Amino acid sequence: MTSDDVLNRFLRYVQIDTQADESSATYPSTPGQLVLGRRLKDELLALGVRDASQDEHGIVLATLPATHKKKCPVIAWIAHVDTSPETSGHGVKPIVHRNYAGNDIVLPGDPSKVIRVADNPELASLVGKMLVTTDGTTLLGADDKAGIACIMSAAAQLMAHPEIPHGPVRICFTCDEEIGHGVDHVDLKTLGAHVGYTLDGGGTGEIDGETFSADLAVVTITGVNIHPAIARGRMINAVRIAAAFVERMPWQALSPETTCDRAGILHPYKIDGGVASTSIRVLLRDFDTPKLAEKAKLLQGIAELLMAEHPGAKIDVKVTPQYRNMAEGLVKEPRALDFAEVAMKRVGLSPKRTIVRGGTDGSRLTELGLPTPNLSCGEHNLHSPLEWTCVEEMEIAARVLVELAQIWGDAH
Ligand SMILES: [Zn+2]
């Protein structure tokens, strides 16, 4: 495997605009995702992957057949073709920086955009490596085209070297991950894997095996509206009660802007309404799932106090589950993480198990029954014009995949 192979693939893929669009009524949300998917399917066919196909939802599936006759678990490599709606993905002009000198990088399309070493401490260890940035006017799309390039490069390697003994590998490229619909149309039966790996992680050598558990609370406050002229003793202002409700949620101890690491959060992110009725949407997040119930209880307690203080007001707290900590599902297949560690060590990395203060497609897949940790593939500064990647980090992530196929090929 060469760094040129992974670089050339990456440069090809990022120049196809696959930005997801939340306001779209179609699946996938944008046609560029279908274009890239078709290209990937064709490239897989050209590598000799005979069953490569794209379904009506744009999902690309393919199988790298086992090169031995042993019975072993099927693994899946998963990445998403779409890019974030937060920064334009149109007309991406990737710039390759060979033999990086350790300096701040001024992006020529918009010189006010500077990738500073002070803000990107990981750059210090990448002197002499090959980086790819944008020209400053778009995102790069390393999230997740770095993951796609790694998977394609590893597939090319295995197809070109049938003497490498490995088990069956399913490849799956999904759509619209960035707008929360990455696994809507992934059918686990069709995928047919025992364990999956998403290639959608930062830097190098990291294995995300834990995510938040997540619930959504919708607090609906019902007041009484009446003309202010005759409101004395009769109006009940839902806006005012909503303000008090938000004020009483612990801010220092439970906000994303004041916490880190393993601390959970209560995050009010949207308020809608008026005097008669106001709703507040609140994210409940914790690594420890039972603590979500404590957070819901806290909201319920605030509701009850405020109803006592504002007779006639009605406050309803409705909590719905969103996703669960990946670690809960990985317990039943600890090899998912263990083998990722072995694979990383074999290519000379010092693997680190990390936690994600959010969810991944893997948390949903794990919950549905497919244990799916997330692996590093050289992503940095996601969703931003300051996004960049390191070619050597992508290449080593591809080598990790090749090792994983061999390690699982030896398992039972
Ligand atoms: Zn991603």
Side-chain angles (χ1 to χ4, degrees):
M1 192 178 314
T2 65
S3 51
D4 273 350
D5 181 67
V6 74
L7 171 66
N8 291 334
R9 290 180 189 281
F10 180 73
L11 295 179
R12 273 204 303 277
Y13 306 151
V14 297
Q15 290 178 68
I16 300 173
D17 178 1
T18 59
Q19 192 174 4
D21 176 5
E22 250 170 322
S23 66
S24 163
T26 61
Y27 196 96
S29 63
T30 48
Q33 298 182 54
L34 293 174
V35 174
L36 176 55
R38 201 173 311 129
R39 166 82 74 98
L40 294 169
K41 177 205 69 176
D42 290 342
E43 288 188 8
L44 285 164
L45 289 171
L47 291 175
V49 183
R50 270 189 255 146
D51 70 345
S53 66
Q54 185 182 35
D55 73 11
E56 70 271 29
H57 306 294
I59 295 165
V60 175
L61 286 170
T63 315
L64 309 179
T67 50
H68 61 48
K69 295 256 180 311
K70 282 187 264 183
K71 199 167 159 33
C72 63
V74 178
I75 67 170
W77 298 340
I78 302 162
H80 63 91
V81 298
D82 62 305
T83 63
S84 166
E86 289 173 57
T87 302
S88 172
H90 182 67
V92 173
K93 293 179 211 56
I95 300 176
V96 180
H97 307 256
R98 285 173 204 276
N99 202 0
Y100 170 60
N103 50 299
D104 288 353
I105 303 172
V106 180
L107 301 177
D110 176 358
S112 75
K113 299 278 189 308
V114 182
I115 301 173
R116 292 180 203 283
V117 177
D119 302 328
N120 296 264
E122 61 272 45
L123 281 173
S125 63
L126 298 176
V127 172
K129 307 285 189 212
M130 197 190 308
L131 305 186
V132 185
T133 68
T134 69
D135 71 347
T137 61
T138 65
L139 51 63
L140 178 62
D143 174 11
D144 189 18
K145 288 160 185 173
I148 295 176
C150 292
I151 290 174
M152 292 297 289
S153 209
Q157 172 80 355
L158 289 185
M159 292 306 289
H161 294 277
E163 74 279 9
I164 299 175
H166 66 85
V169 179
R170 292 283 275 161
I171 291 173
C172 177
F173 296 129
T174 62
C175 301
D176 283 335
E177 188 265 0
E178 297 287 1
I179 55 174
H181 297 291
V183 298
D184 287 10
H185 298 284
V186 174
D187 177 36
L188 288 188
K189 270 217 184 83
T190 310
L191 185 60
H194 173 73
V195 59
Y197 294 94
T198 50
L199 269 283
D200 194 11
T204 192
E206 292 183 353
I207 306 166
D208 299 325
E210 264 203 81
T211 60
F212 269 151
S213 279
D215 286 351
L216 168 70
V218 180
V219 180
T220 308
I221 301 158
T222 310
V224 175
N225 197 10
I226 190 164
H227 193 287
I230 50 169
R232 185 184 156 100
R234 298 163 76 183
M235 177 187 281
I236 300 172
N237 189 346
V239 171
R240 202 168 285 284
I241 300 171
F245 197 106
V246 172
E247 186 58 38
R248 289 184 198 187
M249 273 186 250
W251 176 65
Q252 285 296 345
L254 280 182
S255 291
E257 64 269 37
T258 56
T259 58
C260 60
D261 301 330
R262 302 193 70 91
I265 58 171
L266 263 181
H267 175 43
Y269 71 99
K270 196 170 196 310
I271 298 188
D272 278 305
V275 173
S277 172
T278 297
S279 72
I280 313 165
R281 296 170 78 82
V282 187
L283 301 182
L284 286 64
R285 301 286 187 264
D286 210 296
F287 288 99
D288 199 359
T289 304
K291 287 196 178 154
L292 291 179
E294 287 172 27
K295 292 185 169 59
K297 225 169 126 191
L298 199 151
L299 295 181
Q300 194 59 47
I302 298 173
E304 274 154 28
L305 275 176
L306 283 171
M307 280 193 283
E309 290 169 30
H310 298 267
K314 198 174 156 277
I315 306 176
D316 176 61
V317 180
K318 192 167 184 296
V319 178
T320 45
Q322 292 183 306
Y323 56 84
R324 290 295 172 258
N325 187 342
M326 184 196 276
E328 294 172 12
L330 290 180
V331 172
K332 68 174 199 218
E333 182 44 286
R335 293 180 299 178
L337 295 172
D338 294 346
F339 286 1
E341 256 184 22
V342 175
M344 285 185 175
K345 284 184 186 152
R346 281 197 191 171
V347 301
L349 293 170
S350 310
K352 210 171 104 197
R353 294 197 185 190
T354 41
I355 60 174
V356 184
R357 289 177 64 79
T360 66
D361 270 357
S363 23
R364 187 77 193 114
L365 291 171
T366 303
E367 198 180 343
L368 292 171
L370 180 70
T372 308
N374 183 43
L375 305 180
S376 282
C377 60
E379 298 176 358
H380 299 269
N381 291 346
L382 318 185
H383 304 189
S384 154
L386 301 179
E387 197 185 359
W388 57 276
T389 187
C390 169
V391 177
E392 286 84 352
E393 287 182 347
M394 285 196 280
E395 188 205 345
I396 207 152
R399 287 170 52 204
V400 168
L401 289 180
V402 169
E403 294 298 330
L404 266 177
Q406 297 174 75
I407 295 165
W408 278 102
D410 276 337
H412 302 286

